[in-house]
Amino acid sequence: MDQSSDTITYEQLADLVDFIRNVHGFDFGDYSAASLKRRVTRIMQLQRLSLFDLRILLTNDPDYFENFLVEVTVNVTEMFRDPLFFKSVATNVIPYLRSYQRIKVWNAGCSTGEELYSYAILFSEENLYERCFFYGTDINVDVLEYARNGIYDLQKMKQYSENFHKTGTIHTLSDYYTAKYDAAKINHSLKKNVLFSVHNLASDGVFNEFQVISCRNVLIYFNTDLQKRVIELFYNSLANFGFLCLGSKETLRSTEIGRFKIIDKKNNIYQKIG
């Protein structure tokens, strides 16, 4: 294949977005064009596809579209990523929630589940797990099934354990999983109050009222209009005085910040103030 054909222009990308919307009913229209272009180009290069080849596969192979969706939308994730963020949640968020009889936590864009299990462990460390319910949502069915299984590479757990230690915990991460051969399986006791389900931030609405909503390093893949709509969705999904946690490269705009109290500016933790 001619290597010059494994790239895509913004005009071609816009046509591809229209094509996918018409064929599969999935709308990438509000995703960041630069990010989407980067990911589609990477797919074409790795799979040595021309744009014509890509469109043929997307038209005729339903399984290919599911794989394409995974490659385009899956986010890099790990357990206790940015340990100081989780330390801040333990210091600034959890003490406020101790008096609550029920605590609902929503991890939006949860990918393969490592971050949601991190929250479950964090609340377990504070002896609050039994009062909590954890919702993990994503648009991708395949990553959600991976998350439900809760089985991860044992080698990755070594890095995750280092992250966990940096949060200031007195326990070890191995208390929360069972190792077998080269895999680590999250303990059932940690999964019993966890639910993973499909939710599309671009098109779906409020489905519960939460004390904590975490959506870290997902908004950076959306354009400005969709970012605004998603923040509005989160605001409407939060209970009064609930907490919103964003990623290190994300922040609330001046038009949005008035409805939130800044809890930790560095780690992007906010509290809804009505």
Side-chain angles (χ1 to χ4, degrees):
M1 190 191 79
D2 179 3
Q3 289 298 303
S4 64
S5 63
D6 61 0
T7 59
I8 186 170
T9 67
Y10 281 108
E11 185 177 359
Q12 290 171 328
L13 180 69
D15 288 341
L16 184 66
V17 167
D18 287 339
F19 171 76
I20 291 171
R21 185 190 299 115
N22 292 334
V23 173
H24 294 282
F26 190 93
D27 192 357
F28 282 109
D30 287 323
Y31 280 63
S32 161
S35 174
L36 192 58
K37 180 176 184 290
R38 209 162 39 240
R39 293 191 174 205
V40 172
T41 296
R42 181 175 179 274
I43 290 169
M44 292 169 64
Q45 290 174 342
L46 288 176
Q47 299 178 12
R48 301 181 66 82
L49 298 173
S50 67
L51 183 57
F52 178 79
D53 296 331
L54 179 61
R55 290 173 71 112
I56 290 294
L57 284 169
L58 289 171
T59 302
N60 297 313
D61 188 342
D63 291 336
Y64 182 81
F65 176 69
E66 293 302 321
N67 293 330
F68 176 83
L69 201 58
V70 170
E71 292 297 325
V72 171
T73 62
V74 72
N75 298 306
V76 176
T77 185
E78 60 187 53
M79 294 188 79
F80 295 97
R81 185 183 186 186
D82 304 323
L84 293 182
F85 163 80
F86 283 97
K87 190 171 185 177
S88 182
V89 172
T91 303
N92 298 308
V93 175
I94 289 179
Y96 185 92
L97 298 175
R98 282 194 181 280
S99 62
Y100 285 61
Q101 290 303 306
R102 298 295 295 165
I103 303 166
K104 296 177 195 169
V105 179
W106 177 19
N107 182 201
C110 68
S111 189
T112 45
E114 287 92 331
E115 183 161 298
L116 186 66
Y117 289 125
S118 299
Y119 278 104
I121 291 169
L122 197 68
F123 279 82
S124 294
E125 288 285 296
E126 301 292 335
N127 297 314
L128 289 174
Y129 181 88
E130 295 303 328
R131 282 193 254 159
C132 296
F133 204 91
F134 302 88
Y135 296 82
T137 64
D138 204 279
I139 61 171
N140 194 288
V141 175
D142 291 338
V143 297
L144 288 171
E145 188 60 30
Y146 193 101
R148 287 187 194 100
N149 290 333
I151 301 174
Y152 301 105
D153 188 322
L154 193 58
Q155 286 298 315
K156 290 183 178 180
M157 280 295 177
K158 294 179 180 179
Q159 175 62 52
Y160 299 166
S161 294
E162 290 180 21
N163 291 350
F164 185 48
H165 179 69
K166 290 176 184 176
T167 66
T169 178
I170 60 173
H171 295 105
T172 63
L173 190 60
S174 59
D175 293 335
Y176 294 98
Y177 67 82
T178 302
K180 188 173 183 180
Y181 302 114
D182 59 350
K185 184 171 184 177
I186 298 296
N187 291 343
H188 175 73
S189 59
L190 199 69
K191 297 166 74 175
K192 64 179 182 176
N193 289 359
V194 169
L195 177 68
F196 292 101
S197 59
V198 174
H199 184 275
N200 189 338
L201 290 172
S203 58
D204 295 339
V206 175
F207 67 94
N208 215 313
E209 185 177 72
F210 300 93
Q211 281 67 49
V212 180
I213 296 177
S214 181
C215 185
R216 302 173 65 229
N217 305 312
V218 175
L219 297 181
I220 54 175
Y221 298 109
F222 298 160
N223 67 23
T224 301
D225 287 342
L226 182 53
Q227 287 177 6
K228 290 178 181 176
R229 296 207 307 271
V230 171
I231 293 297
E232 186 68 20
L233 168 65
F234 290 158
Y235 182 83
N236 292 330
S237 300
L238 278 171
N240 284 334
F241 307 109
F243 295 88
L244 175 63
C245 304
L246 300 179
S248 58
K249 297 178 181 177
E250 299 158 338
T251 187
L252 294 178
R253 293 179 174 81
S254 57
T255 54
E256 300 159 343
I257 198 65
R259 298 189 292 175
F260 292 89
K261 176 183 177 182
I262 300 173
I263 299 300
D264 184 339
K265 187 174 183 180
K266 184 176 181 181
N267 289 294
N268 283 328
I269 301 175
Y270 307 89
Q271 185 178 32
K272 177 179 177 177
I273 56 176

